[in-house]
Amino acid sequence: MAVDLAISGATLVLPDGVRRAGLAIDGGRIVAIAPDGGLPEARERIDAGGLHVLPGVIDTHTHARDPSVDAREDFGTATAAAAAGGVTTILEMPISTPSVHSAVTFERRVEIVQPKAHVDFGLYGGAAGDKLSEIEGLAAAGVVGYKTFRTPVPAGREREFIGLCAPDAGDYLAALREVARTGRIAAVHAEDAQLLAAAQRDLLAVGDRAPMSHARWRPEVVETASVAQSIELAIAAGARLQIAHCSNPTAVGLAVAARERGSVTIETCPHYLFLTEAEIERHGPFAKINPALRSSVSVEGMWSAIAAGHIDVIGSDHSPFLVAEKAPFDDDIWGALPGAPGLESLLPLLLTAVADGRLSLEHLVALTSGNAARIYGLSEKGAIRVGGDADLAIVDLAYEGTIDTSTWLTRSRATAAVWHGLPVLAQVRATVVRGRTVFRDGQLVGAAGWGRLVKPAA
């Protein structure tokens, strides 16, 4: 009998290495890995001659914020962007209106976003002192993990951050104890609130509002101090901690040293590997990201940490905003909102790093898929293997071009100035989610609603 899909002529990145083979897919799963001549008849065929097939990216750090300010982004445009970037599963942060801080808000959010989803998705819940009693219920509902900001609630965004912020160490320890009981990962945005407040006071006192004041406001010590405290609190609570968007090698070193005493994993992002603080001068508010962009020395240190195997996952930290929330603040960086989109640049940039000899294809797959599946308990994803979900990114490693953000599918493409024009040596040609092609040759071809909610294995 014919299978749903056969992919022939490809070079596959498999758990045991890279080799030429074909794939047979049926019922959303990989049913055979075989020489091209050994593939069964199929209702759909993809000739991937000259192309590589990787496990689809599991993006551990996406912001869509649906429902919130839909003009920035909604779940449809965010997951369309994911599909265009070879991302087959997004793990979406709990910021929305209202935030995901209870089983009720979790279920309501699933109802809202699932009909719009082009790729699979998991949802984080919040973990903070103001909603401690809701943490256990979130696990039962199916969150993939928890997110806590060690910074205060942003003014004017109170509903979006209910149950998410714990700048106080006592509140955070209490939240970590509750998270530990669930066994789920505790992801932390680690920046020290007191250091931030002191630096802001001093900078504004002398009228420092230029773009680079953002880097002066959030130097590396702001992150490392919070990482150090967060690690100790997580170990005391017995919680599995993940340092979100880690930006500097000193913080990495703290996390690695703590692994002898507890479970600490590290996520970084492309902007801490391919950009430096010089971009803040060049792009102003469009390069305002928290934590701040770092020096070229720190960027090289992060690559050294990757080479040493110290980094576990790379997530996009895709963070869409409106041009009106960025552009007017070139002369007053304090008014701009922080973040930049990145779902569509993550994989091409990392594949370019493969071409440059920075990492191997196998290591890239571990950083973008395999480790995330292990850390978050997504046992059916993260590798090309018989019986696993047929989540695939088909990529062209012979491509030479530049990133053109005007063609991106995210609604926030106009705020992606930091990526526009960067050279890349790879291109996503097709994306397959559970056996269905959702993106091919520059076009979104999958219908909204195909993406489904994923939950951690017990």
Side-chain angles (χ1 to χ4, degrees), residues 320-391:
F321 287 105
L322 300 174
V323 171
E325 295 167 325
K326 292 279 194 179
F329 301 102
D330 197 48
D331 295 325
D332 185 4
I333 196 71
W334 298 91
L337 293 177
L343 277 164
E344 289 160 89
S345 50
L346 183 153
L347 188 55
L349 286 169
L350 290 175
L351 287 168
T352 300
V354 171
D356 291 339
R358 291 267 194 187
L359 72 168
S360 67
L361 280 171
E362 294 93 331
H363 194 180
L364 179 150
V365 165
L367 291 165
T368 59
S369 302
N371 290 346
R374 171 179 54 81
I375 291 167
Y376 289 86
L378 306 179
S379 58
E380 297 177 346
K381 299 185 179 294
I384 297 175
R385 63 177 182 273
V386 172
D389 281 357
D391 293 345

Side-chain angles (χ1 to χ4, degrees), residues 87-320:
V87 178
T88 53
T89 303
I90 64 169
L91 305 185
E92 217 272 325
M93 291 297 172
I95 302 171
S96 59
T97 308
S99 63
V100 180
H101 61 265
S102 67
V104 171
T105 54
F106 174 89
E107 296 292 354
R108 177 60 182 143
R109 193 154 187 229
V110 173
E111 291 175 1
I112 291 170
V113 304
Q114 195 281 323
K116 306 176 187 179
H118 293 276
V119 304
D120 287 352
F121 64 96
L123 298 180
Y124 287 85
D130 55 329
K131 291 292 179 181
L132 286 179
S133 62
E134 302 287 358
I135 290 174
E136 184 177 356
L138 281 165
V143 294
V144 292
Y146 296 86
K147 176 68 176 289
T148 305
F149 292 81
R150 299 303 313 279
T151 49
V153 175
R157 300 179 68 187
E158 289 80 6
R159 287 195 72 211
E160 294 179 84
F161 284 83
I162 299 168
L164 306 189
C165 296
D168 178 83
D171 284 347
Y172 188 43
L173 179 59
L176 285 169
R177 284 173 173 154
E178 292 298 319
V179 172
R181 293 188 180 98
T182 72
R184 305 285 162 86
I185 201 79
V188 62
H189 178 126
E191 291 187 290
D192 186 274
Q194 290 180 311
L195 292 176
L196 285 172
Q200 182 175 12
R201 181 188 64 238
D202 293 345
L203 290 165
L204 290 178
V206 297
D208 190 347
R209 298 179 179 275
M212 282 304 293
S213 65
H214 185 67
R216 292 187 281 273
W217 180 29
R218 303 177 110 92
E220 292 185 9
V221 66
V222 169
E223 181 181 28
T224 55
S226 185
V227 165
Q229 186 188 68
S230 299
I231 287 170
E232 294 305 316
L233 295 175
I235 290 172
R240 299 167 56 220
L241 187 71
Q242 179 145 292
I243 310 301
H245 45 50
C246 191
S247 72
N248 78 83
T250 302
V252 173
L254 292 172
V256 171
R259 287 172 175 169
E260 296 180 358
R261 299 183 293 125
S263 175
V264 185
T265 52
I266 304 168
E267 172 198 80
T268 194
C269 306
H271 36 279
Y272 303 122
L273 300 172
F274 296 94
L275 305 176
T276 72
E277 61 190 1
E279 298 303 317
I280 304 176
E281 288 278 20
R282 182 181 178 195
H283 294 295
F286 294 96
K288 181 178 178 178
I289 298 170
N290 297 339
L293 300 179
R294 303 304 188 196
S295 70
S296 58
V297 172
S298 286
V299 168
E300 287 305 310
M302 293 301 289
W303 278 111
S304 295
I306 286 175
H310 293 160
I311 305 295
D312 298 283
V313 293
I314 298 178
S316 71
D317 197 5
H318 175 83
S319 191

